[in-house]
Amino acid sequence: MKLTILKALTICLLLITGSAFAQKLTKTENQILRTVSANNSEAIAYLKQVVNINSGTMNPKGVKEVGMVFKSAYDDIAFQTSWIDMTKVNRAGHLFAEINGDKGKKLLLIGHLDTVFEADSPFQEFTMVNDSIAHAPGGNDMKGGNVIILYALKALSDNGLLGNAQIIVAYTGDEESTGKPLTVSRKDLIEAAKRSDIALGFETSTGFNYATIARRGASGWKVEVAGKRAHSSGIFNDKNGAGAVFELARILNEFYNNVRGEEYLTFNPGVILGGTKISFEEALSTGNAFGKSNVIAQTAVVDGGLRFISEGQKERAREKMRAIVSNNLPHTSAEISFIDSYPAMGPTEGNNNLLELLNQVSLDLDQGGVEAYDPGKRGAADVSFVAQYVDCLDGLGTMGSGAHTPQETVNLNTIEALTKRTAILIYRLINQ
Ligand SMILES: [Zn+2]
């Protein structure tokens, strides 16, 4: 409901802006654009360099190596850099780079060093498909976005325009598979947000004309069912009841019929086991089941995921699920448990105002207007962890296709334009 109103508001704002006299680029802004253009081939070579270092989340050495390449680039433009070790949560660590000041908006710029392609993946190398498209593991998700942040800041630095601004660049090393507990692995990111006004996320772009002002959150859920083991000839009678498998089937069917329905709410049972004896290895999402057609099932389990647009929606869904799970068939019992993973990033007014600023920048650059992307089509990301502390905009990274698959590509032709847009957006924010 709230979203629908905000969507309408966005469209109104876009219409008003579209018809208003467009803000001209200043002399300084034109100088920033020239610097971005001059550095563009260097930016692409840099992207190739970092793509060719494997940084699968579970390859800590590689993640840190990519972090060190970025570290020296940020050292060169006089950012204070630090490597935050995350060995204690079995991950490589995060690279943070920052400058301190009190001019304009305080910014947090978010990227991640890791990719889904581990050291044993056959997909390791940056190769050109044609003049503009590179086939590159993590090139789009999201080493391209990391490079956009760096070269936008470099253009501002080269022109002496970062003086007295406060900017924190946070490149996490475990976005694709976060270290647990999150209170450890996301502590530094959240603390950086608390010192900032605005967070910009550089996850893959969904096109020049869209940015992300809302992302759905994610949670895990698991239902464990117990039934009475007995000869199957007695199933349904007063003594033996329905068995664990029927009970779990009832629960899932009622989830489907009675929890489903709200916009942006989805839930998916990913793996199910049932029978006389089961073993479920949660960490590996795998297991074994043993049962016989002439024995009433004694145990069953299902493990699933849940996506939601707000904490309220998450809680409503959980309440309905709990009620269904407690309404057991004869001689069965069931329990549901939930695990929080990503919070939701709601479509707030502050996020919308940021979108409006980006829209103006984009119009001034003749790159067309920018609208809010459908949050139902995006997964969760690091920006979600800071959404409750700062205004957020995400999806400012590179364009490409096939993220998380061996077909991943990045469109190199869009990097210059996107870096220009980012540089002007940052420039205007730190001068606000
Ligand atoms: Zn990503």
Side-chain angles (χ1 to χ4, degrees):
M1 194 61 177
K2 193 176 161 200
L3 188 83
T4 319
I5 295 166
L6 281 167
K7 251 187 195 164
L9 198 71
T10 312
I11 292 163
C12 288
L13 284 169
L14 289 174
L15 287 174
I16 293 164
T17 317
S19 58
F21 185 69
Q23 194 178 336
K24 291 264 180 340
L25 292 172
T26 64
K27 228 175 115 183
T28 308
E29 288 175 341
N30 278 311
Q31 182 52 41
I32 296 167
L33 300 183
R34 280 192 289 277
T35 308
V36 171
S37 296
N39 290 343
N40 188 52
S41 46
E42 185 190 310
I44 289 169
Y46 192 93
L47 175 61
K48 182 175 177 179
Q49 182 193 353
V50 288
V51 165
N52 283 337
I53 303 167
N54 176 279
S55 60
T57 314
M58 300 314 290
N59 172 13
K61 201 172 148 269
V63 172
K64 187 168 181 181
E65 199 183 329
V66 172
M68 289 305 111
V69 175
F70 279 105
K71 182 182 182 298
S72 77
Y74 282 101
D75 287 335
D76 286 349
I77 56 169
F79 275 60
Q80 294 161 2
T81 53
S82 53
W83 179 256
I84 302 166
D85 184 81
M86 282 287 139
T87 310
K88 54 187 172 290
V89 292
N90 192 29
R91 294 294 184 274
H94 315 306
L95 176 72
F96 276 49
E98 69 176 280
I99 49 171
N100 297 112
D102 54 13
K103 193 177 82 171
K105 295 283 191 224
K106 299 182 171 74
L107 305 184
L108 172 61
L109 310 178
I110 302 174
H112 63 83
L113 302 167
D114 63 318
T115 77
V116 297
F117 304 100
E118 296 295 341
D120 61 357
S121 163
F123 188 26
Q124 298 290 349
E125 226 185 308
F126 182 106
T127 52
M128 296 302 295
V129 175
N130 58 38
D131 289 353
S132 56
I133 309 288
H135 183 222
N140 195 32
D141 183 10
M142 61 170 284
K143 288 173 178 171
N146 299 339
V147 169
I148 287 179
I149 300 174
L150 173 64
Y151 278 82
L153 292 174
K154 228 167 129 64
L156 296 172
S157 170
D158 287 358
N159 289 289
L161 298 170
L162 289 177
N164 218 20
Q166 183 180 305
I167 299 175
I168 306 171
V169 180
Y171 289 157
T172 60
D174 60 344
E175 196 276 340
E176 300 293 1
S177 173
T178 42
K180 304 283 184 315
L182 294 169
T183 46
V184 175
S185 67
R186 288 300 170 270
K187 178 173 169 272
D188 301 281
L189 186 66
I190 288 168
E191 274 176 7
K194 288 179 178 168
R195 294 192 283 128
S196 306
D197 302 314
I198 285 169
L200 302 177
F202 290 79
E203 284 283 1
T204 60
S205 162
T206 43
F208 272 109
N209 304 110
Y210 291 102
T212 302
I213 60 161
R215 301 191 82 119
R216 294 193 295 167
S219 134
W221 55 271
K222 184 167 78 168
V223 178
E224 290 165 289
V225 179
K228 194 172 166 191
R229 180 175 171 177
H231 195 282
S232 68
S233 59
I235 192 167
F236 311 141
N237 72 22
D238 291 350
K239 224 176 95 199
N240 298 319
V245 167
F246 264 131
E247 169 62 356
L248 188 50
R250 174 197 70 81
I251 289 168
L252 290 177
N253 190 46
E254 288 189 30
F255 282 4
Y256 186 80
N257 287 324
N258 302 326
V259 184
R260 197 169 49 101
E262 280 188 37
E263 192 181 18
Y264 301 126
L265 176 71
T266 57
F267 49 90
N268 175 52
V271 57
I272 187 166
L273 291 163
T276 303
K277 245 191 211 161
I278 57 173
S279 65
F280 177 51
E281 273 187 82
E282 210 165 333
L284 301 173
S285 269
T286 186
N288 283 297
F290 165 79
K292 286 187 152 185
S293 56
N294 61 358
V295 180
I296 299 174
Q298 181 176 245
T299 178
V301 65
V302 61
D303 198 32
L306 173 74
R307 302 207 172 221
F308 49 88
I309 194 68
S310 65
E311 288 302 295
Q313 185 175 66
K314 179 184 89 178
E315 284 310 324
R316 273 194 304 282
R318 286 182 174 186
E319 251 342 287
K320 286 183 194 165
M321 290 168 117
R322 280 191 199 100
I324 290 166
V325 165
S326 67
N327 188 23
N328 306 118
L329 291 175
H331 291 291
T332 65
S333 61
E335 263 177 42
I336 186 162
S337 53
F338 298 98
I339 294 185
D340 282 320
S341 108
Y342 284 88
M345 165 176 153
T348 64
E349 201 185 329
N351 298 358
N352 233 336
N353 293 339
L354 262 180
L355 174 67
E356 186 42 39
L357 258 169
L358 176 67
N359 178 56
Q360 185 63 58
V361 171
S362 190
L363 289 171
D364 292 348
L365 290 171
D366 289 326
Q367 292 183 10
V370 187
E371 290 179 44
Y373 193 69
D374 179 355
K377 293 181 184 161
R378 292 222 81 152
D382 266 338
V383 72
S384 311
F385 290 111
V386 301
Q388 60 175 299
Y389 307 104
V390 285
D391 296 335
C392 299
L393 201 56
D394 199 6
L396 303 177
T398 45
M399 286 179 218
S401 62
H404 290 204
T405 76
Q407 283 77 44
E408 180 171 349
T409 66
V410 52
N411 186 336
L412 304 175
N413 272 355
T414 61
I415 290 179
E416 183 176 343
L418 290 167
T419 306
K420 284 179 175 173
R421 195 155 87 171
T422 295
I424 301 298
L425 178 65
I426 292 174
Y427 175 70
R428 288 186 185 175
L429 285 170
I430 61 178
N431 285 288
Q432 249 188 12

